[in-house]
Amino acid sequence: MALRLGDIAPDFTAETTEGTFRFHEWLGDGWGILFSHPADYTPVCTTELGATAKLRSEFARRNVKVAAVSVDPLADHHGWIKDINETQGTTVNFPIIADPSRTVATLYDMIHPNADDKATVRSVFVIGPDKKIKLTLTYPASTGRNFLELLRVIDSLQLTSKYRVATPADWKDGEDCIITPAVKDPEAETLFPKGIRRVKPYLRYTPQPNR
Ligand code: BEZ
């Protein structure tokens, strides 16, 4: 069965470009992103892994470790990294898992046979410090992902895990948040001393509490 939000992210041992790791142990107490790409030495994937490498400091600032995976072997990953570094003007600085046995791809349901029976689709799993899945995304091979969107979602996930707020459509870090409906008005006054803007009884905004 496909993995759902709130499920524990399956643990596994894998060979990666940075050595063999046990996934949960490698994640430690922080946040994680596991994302798959269809194949090495392909153009869209090359740009995606380059984009991820360039955002290293942004992921680190949020205490997020990133690991990529494809069903290609380790030797291909190492050769391809040289191309990524050369063409994308960066240094790949995160592990790429070699999954020729499809262990990880199967555990995370990353092969969608009606799209492609061999290659992984572009899956993304955001994993919280509790090892639970907080976000899933699935993109087709033809569409590269937006890695700034992943940072935006992580900002929202980290904020909403600490405060009783949710984030509205197209929210970005620093913008007003929505007070969750479970918080009643009298409690909201105490919890959100920066102020409350009531548009409707169920639609109440407050400045981002941790800013
Ligand atoms: C790519 O990364 O460019 C790609 C991979 C598989 C199918 C189509 C495009």
mmCIF file of all heavy atoms in Angstrom, residues 38 42-45 122 141-142, ligand 1:
data_model
loop_
_atom_site.group_PDB
_atom_site.id
_atom_site.type_symbol
_atom_site.label_atom_id
_atom_site.label_comp_id
_atom_site.label_asym_id
_atom_site.label_seq_id
_atom_site.Cartn_x
_atom_site.Cartn_y
_atom_site.Cartn_z
ATOM 1 N N PRO A 38 14.284 9.584 -12.127
ATOM 2 C CA PRO A 38 14.135 8.414 -13.000
ATOM 3 C C PRO A 38 15.442 7.736 -13.379
ATOM 4 O O PRO A 38 15.499 6.500 -13.407
ATOM 5 C CB PRO A 38 13.425 8.970 -14.234
ATOM 6 C CG PRO A 38 12.751 10.224 -13.766
ATOM 7 C CD PRO A 38 13.613 10.771 -12.680
ATOM 8 N N THR A 42 20.526 12.027 -17.232
ATOM 9 C CA THR A 42 19.352 12.532 -17.952
ATOM 10 C C THR A 42 19.247 14.029 -17.659
ATOM 11 O O THR A 42 19.658 14.488 -16.589
ATOM 12 C CB THR A 42 18.050 11.820 -17.504
ATOM 13 O OG1 THR A 42 17.995 11.850 -16.084
ATOM 14 C CG2 THR A 42 18.002 10.389 -18.009
ATOM 15 N N PRO A 43 18.699 14.797 -18.613
ATOM 16 C CA PRO A 43 18.833 16.254 -18.500
ATOM 17 C C PRO A 43 18.068 16.888 -17.346
ATOM 18 O O PRO A 43 18.617 17.729 -16.620
ATOM 19 C CB PRO A 43 18.328 16.759 -19.862
ATOM 20 C CG PRO A 43 17.532 15.642 -20.441
ATOM 21 C CD PRO A 43 18.109 14.377 -19.886
ATOM 22 N N VAL A 44 16.788 16.537 -17.195
ATOM 23 C CA VAL A 44 15.999 17.198 -16.141
ATOM 24 C C VAL A 44 16.566 16.851 -14.767
ATOM 25 O O VAL A 44 16.722 17.721 -13.896
ATOM 26 C CB VAL A 44 14.505 16.791 -16.243
ATOM 27 C CG1 VAL A 44 13.715 17.402 -15.096
ATOM 28 C CG2 VAL A 44 13.921 17.219 -17.586
ATOM 29 N N CYS A 45 16.913 15.578 -14.587
ATOM 30 C CA CYS A 45 17.485 15.152 -13.301
ATOM 31 C C CYS A 45 18.787 15.890 -13.004
ATOM 32 O O CYS A 45 19.073 16.224 -11.850
ATOM 33 C CB CYS A 45 17.748 13.641 -13.302
ATOM 34 S SG CYS A 45 16.292 12.657 -13.618
ATOM 35 N N ARG A 122 9.317 10.898 -10.106
ATOM 36 C CA ARG A 122 9.925 11.935 -9.255
ATOM 37 C C ARG A 122 9.108 12.051 -7.967
ATOM 38 O O ARG A 122 8.180 12.852 -7.878
ATOM 39 C CB ARG A 122 9.958 13.281 -9.994
ATOM 40 C CG ARG A 122 10.790 13.262 -11.249
ATOM 41 C CD ARG A 122 10.964 14.651 -11.865
ATOM 42 N NE ARG A 122 11.444 14.508 -13.228
ATOM 43 C CZ ARG A 122 12.707 14.273 -13.561
ATOM 44 N NH1 ARG A 122 13.631 14.176 -12.627
ATOM 45 N NH2 ARG A 122 13.057 14.147 -14.830
ATOM 46 N N ALA A 141 8.210 12.193 -15.010
ATOM 47 C CA ALA A 141 9.600 12.334 -15.448
ATOM 48 C C ALA A 141 9.823 13.616 -16.242
ATOM 49 O O ALA A 141 10.900 14.210 -16.196
ATOM 50 C CB ALA A 141 9.992 11.120 -16.286
ATOM 51 N N SER A 142 8.800 14.068 -16.933
ATOM 52 C CA SER A 142 8.976 15.214 -17.843
ATOM 53 C C SER A 142 8.992 16.569 -17.140
ATOM 54 O O SER A 142 9.270 17.582 -17.779
ATOM 55 C CB SER A 142 7.854 15.203 -18.881
ATOM 56 O OG SER A 142 6.599 15.118 -18.219
HETATM 57 C C1 BEZ B 1 15.223 13.705 -17.427
HETATM 58 O O1 BEZ B 1 15.656 13.721 -16.283
HETATM 59 O O2 BEZ B 1 15.532 14.549 -18.239
HETATM 60 C C2 BEZ B 1 14.261 12.634 -17.854
HETATM 61 C C3 BEZ B 1 14.319 11.378 -17.284
HETATM 62 C C4 BEZ B 1 13.454 10.409 -17.719
HETATM 63 C C5 BEZ B 1 12.520 10.699 -18.688
HETATM 64 C C6 BEZ B 1 12.439 11.983 -19.236
HETATM 65 C C7 BEZ B 1 13.328 12.962 -18.808
#
